[in-house]
Amino acid sequence: MLLKLCRQHLRPYLGAVAALIALQLLQTIASLFLPTLNADIIDHGVILGDIDHIWRRGSVMLAVSLAQVICAVIAVYFGTRVAMSFGRDLRLALFDAVQGFSAREVSHFGAPTLITRTTNDVQQVQMLVLMACTIMVSAPLMLIVGVFMALREDVPLSGLLLVVIPVLSVTLALVLRCLAPHFRVMQDRIDAINEMVRAQIIGLRVVRAFVRERREMERFGKANEQLYDTQVVTGKIIAFAFPLVGLIINVSSAAVIWFGGRRIDGGGMQIGALTAFLTYLMFILTSIMISTLVATMIPRAIVAARRIDEVLTTGTSVTEPAQPVSITSLNGGAGPRGEITFENVGFHYPGADEPVLSGLNFTARPGTVTAIIGATGAGKSTLLSLMPRLFDPTAGRVLFDGVDLRYLATAELGTQLGLVPQQAFLFSGTIASNLRYGLREATEEQMWAALRIAQGADFIAELPERLQAPVAQGGTTLSGGQRQRLAIARAIIRRPRVLLFDDSFSALDAVTDARLRAALRAVDATIIMVAQRVATIQEADEILVLEHGRIVGQGTHSELLATNATYQEIVASQEAQS
């Protein structure tokens, strides 16, 4: 998975990667050429007392060192740009993939893990790419060229490399094998931390209202302790690995000095050659140590890459048609009218034992109000979610002006639907920016017109900043009723052909509710509303009574009150409460 991600998202930067490798190669050759020059200075300058030779070779060493520094700086620049661009593109790809998910895929993954995968997981892979571009590229080059230069200095002494390199490689393999499962657990526990923090921030008022701060701290403390324990274990493994590598390097250096001294004593090599060989050995072992440093990041990056790839390769259950029907071609080219028809529609959540909806048949006509009522869990919100294609039905079909929704482009369909969800979520910004979420180029006149219909113009006009008044994320600075009215205005500002209200009047008082329903009558649209209060829907042109995902009653308020037992129970229970 890691290689797959790198191949896909590094392809646009192959030129920069090629330049990076070339610069790293030049830097490595320059670095490894310096010990040879140093050995020559010792053998032919210092020992023989040739000052001119020392100056000549010393000047060459300075020039080579300068070239090395220049190559290193430019290589780090290219490496950093490639790694940062890779991370940017990967985050964008994840965000784009999640935006294309239907509600089914979002609920399958869950918001906390999607946040972790877009942030922390991408960071793990990005850091590995950064280390690979700035450090890891030079390590194998240094190893290969270092071995060649060491053999060039003294072949018999190079036999030590046949022992040292395998020992370090085996050590590295054991470290990686120990780290991999712990990194997998670590990412899952980061998900758990994110989930708790998100829930506690959103539900802060509830936590304080029930004085549950201590319990929430204990829950978070337990999850935090579990993450800490995993991090300590991985830290111990890494901490053990580096001294072990250092021990191997030091023992190798001592062995080179020991055997090299014996060869000098026997006339097999010169002092300068031993010095150069020792330096090359340090280069070789340092390259392996650098590889060890980067390799400790690989298991976590592999886990992160697998989690990222899982999101990127998950297809949405709501797919675009191969040859979509144009909205403008509907009704013989007259354009959309907004008639919604359910034909034997059913819906079954994956893994559920029973369907949520079964055998739904009804038609919501333009200019009429169709209301849906039923007990909690009857399937009302799921029914409403089928119209904007948050889900696709698993049985039957939903028609828009006689055309199956699955044959219409989702973007075009979205322009004809205005949805007000059960939770009136507002984005951080201003009142104007939230209203323009429904219509990007909305004028102030259009915004005030939508607010007047939604019964929100009065309280907006009283604010000092009016349309520019700030709105906190989620609309937490506003009351529930104010949030609902702004969400309704946002839905109707572009005057869609169909308006969908999912219990969107629940926070309104009776007077505001009545005024809003009266104002909506003047809007030329098909209105479908889910409601809990009978008072909200009793003037609807048609009321659907849902029970266990089936329509058990259909008609006007007076007809259902006279003939439908389920509706009678709902009305009686609400009258008793009032």
Side-chain angles (χ1 to χ4, degrees):
M1 296 302 177
L2 182 59
L3 292 176
K4 175 184 173 183
L5 284 180
C6 291
R7 281 197 304 268
Q8 289 177 347
H9 296 279
L10 287 176
R11 190 173 294 119
Y13 311 106
L14 290 179
V17 172
L20 166 69
I21 294 173
L23 288 166
Q24 293 278 25
L25 178 60
L26 292 174
Q27 175 199 349
T28 303
I29 291 173
S31 299
L32 294 171
F33 188 50
L34 291 174
T36 300
L37 291 173
N38 186 58
D40 184 65
I41 289 174
I42 293 173
D43 292 336
H44 301 96
V46 176
I47 294 177
L48 300 178
D50 189 345
I51 303 299
D52 291 337
H53 186 82
I54 294 174
W55 277 108
R56 286 196 302 272
R57 290 301 186 184
S59 300
V60 175
M61 286 186 71
L62 287 174
V64 172
S65 298
L66 180 61
Q68 177 197 1
V69 170
I70 293 173
C71 290
V73 170
I74 299 175
V76 168
Y77 170 78
F78 276 115
T80 304
R81 284 192 64 86
V82 167
M84 295 305 107
S85 300
F86 170 84
R88 177 199 62 198
D89 296 347
L90 193 54
R91 280 190 295 271
L92 183 61
L94 274 169
F95 185 82
D96 185 60
V98 174
Q99 287 292 301
F101 282 170
S102 71
R104 177 183 295 184
E105 286 78 47
V106 173
S107 61
H108 167 70
F109 284 104
T113 187
L114 288 175
I115 293 172
T116 304
R117 295 177 197 225
T118 309
T119 53
N120 187 272
D121 286 352
V122 171
Q123 185 180 15
Q124 300 306 322
V125 180
Q126 183 183 27
M127 285 302 299
L128 179 64
V129 172
L130 176 62
M131 295 293 287
C133 288
T134 56
I135 298 176
M136 194 62 181
V137 170
S138 63
L141 293 174
M142 188 177 293
L143 176 62
I144 295 169
V145 180
V147 170
F148 172 77
M149 297 298 287
L151 287 168
R152 185 168 171 268
E153 291 296 334
D154 192 85
V155 174
L157 198 59
S158 299
L160 288 171
L161 300 177
L162 297 176
V163 177
V164 176
I165 293 176
V167 169
L168 276 179
S169 301
V170 170
T171 303
L172 174 60
L174 291 175
V175 170
L176 295 182
R177 185 175 180 181
C178 293
L179 283 174
H182 294 293
F183 281 135
R184 193 175 302 113
V185 173
M186 186 184 297
Q187 294 305 110
D188 291 338
R189 289 181 175 175
I190 290 175
D191 279 349
I193 289 283
N194 283 340
E195 183 177 7
M196 286 189 182
V197 171
R198 183 172 180 271
Q200 288 172 13
I201 291 174
I202 294 174
L204 184 61
R205 293 182 179 180
V206 177
V207 173
R208 289 180 176 175
F210 287 89
V211 196
R212 305 293 284 178
E213 292 93 339
R214 182 176 294 277
R215 179 179 177 275
E216 293 301 318
M217 287 183 64
E218 290 174 353
R219 288 180 63 237
F220 182 82
K222 183 178 179 181
N224 197 30
E225 192 70 25
Q226 289 175 340
L227 178 60
Y228 163 80
D229 291 340
T230 306
Q231 290 174 329
V232 167
V233 172
T234 56
K236 287 179 178 179
I237 295 173
I238 295 172
F240 175 75
F242 284 103
L244 188 59
V245 171
L247 175 63
I248 295 172
I249 290 175
N250 291 329
V251 171
S252 302
S253 301
V256 167
I257 294 172
W258 171 263
F259 290 108
R262 292 175 66 98
R263 284 187 57 75
I264 291 172
D265 187 52
M269 68 184 303
Q270 295 179 319
I271 296 175
L274 176 61
T275 305
F277 187 92
L278 187 60
T279 305
Y280 288 132
L281 178 67
M282 290 300 101
F283 278 136
I284 294 168
L285 298 184
T286 301
S287 68
I288 297 176
M289 192 169 182
I290 290 173
S291 301
T292 304
L293 172 65
V294 177
T296 56
M297 303 172 64
I298 292 176
R300 191 171 185 183
I302 290 174
V303 172
R306 187 178 296 115
R307 287 157 53 90
I308 291 169
D309 188 69
E310 187 179 357
V311 175
L312 294 178
T313 55
T314 297
T316 176
S317 57
V318 177
T319 57
E320 291 290 329
Q323 296 180 331
V325 177
S326 174
I327 289 286
T328 57
S329 67
L330 298 177
N331 303 304
R337 295 175 58 244
E339 182 177 273
I340 298 291
T341 303
F342 276 55
E343 291 186 351
N344 201 31
V345 170
F347 183 78
H348 197 291
Y349 283 107
D353 294 331
E354 299 291 335
V356 180
L357 302 173
S358 300
L360 301 185
N361 291 281
F362 70 90
T363 298
R365 294 178 175 80
T368 65
V369 177
T370 301
I372 304 168
I373 195 169
T376 301
K380 304 184 296 297
S381 296
T382 303
L383 185 156
L384 211 65
S385 298
L386 296 176
M387 298 178 216
R389 293 196 72 196
L390 300 181
F391 302 104
D392 274 342
T394 53
R397 58 182 188 156
V398 182
L399 308 178
F400 181 92
D401 286 348
V403 178
D404 193 323
L405 294 183
R406 286 171 284 205
Y407 297 141
L408 297 173
T410 305
E412 281 197 339
L413 177 64
T415 63
Q416 304 303 317
L417 300 177
L419 172 65
V420 184
Q422 199 166 21
Q423 293 184 342
F425 185 86
L426 300 177
F427 297 90
S428 59
T430 64
I431 289 172
S433 68
N434 273 277
L435 293 177
R436 287 195 173 107
Y437 204 81
L439 182 63
R440 183 179 300 176
E441 304 299 330
T443 63
E444 286 200 10
E445 182 180 348
Q446 289 173 310
M447 286 188 274
W448 283 112
L451 286 168
R452 281 191 290 271
I453 295 173
Q455 307 304 303
D458 292 342
F459 86 84
I460 299 297
E462 294 175 357
L463 299 174
E465 303 94 337
R466 294 163 69 86
L467 290 174
Q468 299 306 316
V471 176
Q473 184 178 2
T476 54
T477 53
L478 302 172
S479 69
Q482 290 172 335
R483 288 198 298 272
Q484 283 190 341
R485 282 178 279 176
L486 284 179
I488 292 169
R490 181 176 61 193
I492 66 179
I493 192 169
R494 61 184 174 195
R495 299 304 174 101
R497 303 304 304 166
V498 180
L499 284 170
L500 307 173
F501 300 101
D502 188 0
D503 200 15
S504 307
F505 306 154
S506 58
L508 304 181
D509 60 84
V511 175
T512 305
D513 186 339
R515 289 176 179 171
L516 176 55
R517 285 186 282 111
L520 286 173
R521 281 287 185 180
V523 177
D524 183 21
T526 305
I527 298 176
I528 303 175
M529 62 171 65
V530 168
Q532 297 287 351
R533 295 186 306 201
V534 173
T536 301
I537 64 170
Q538 61 185 3
E539 297 177 3
D541 298 292
E542 185 172 47
I543 301 172
L544 307 178
V545 183
L546 246 63
E547 188 172 33
H548 303 303
R550 295 180 177 274
I551 296 176
V552 296
Q554 190 169 350
T556 63
H557 171 72
S558 57
E559 291 171 349
L560 291 171
L561 198 58
T563 61
N564 189 268
T566 303
Y567 191 73
Q568 292 169 357
E569 290 177 6
I570 294 172
V571 172
S573 65
Q574 294 190 11
E575 288 179 347
Q577 291 175 2
S578 60

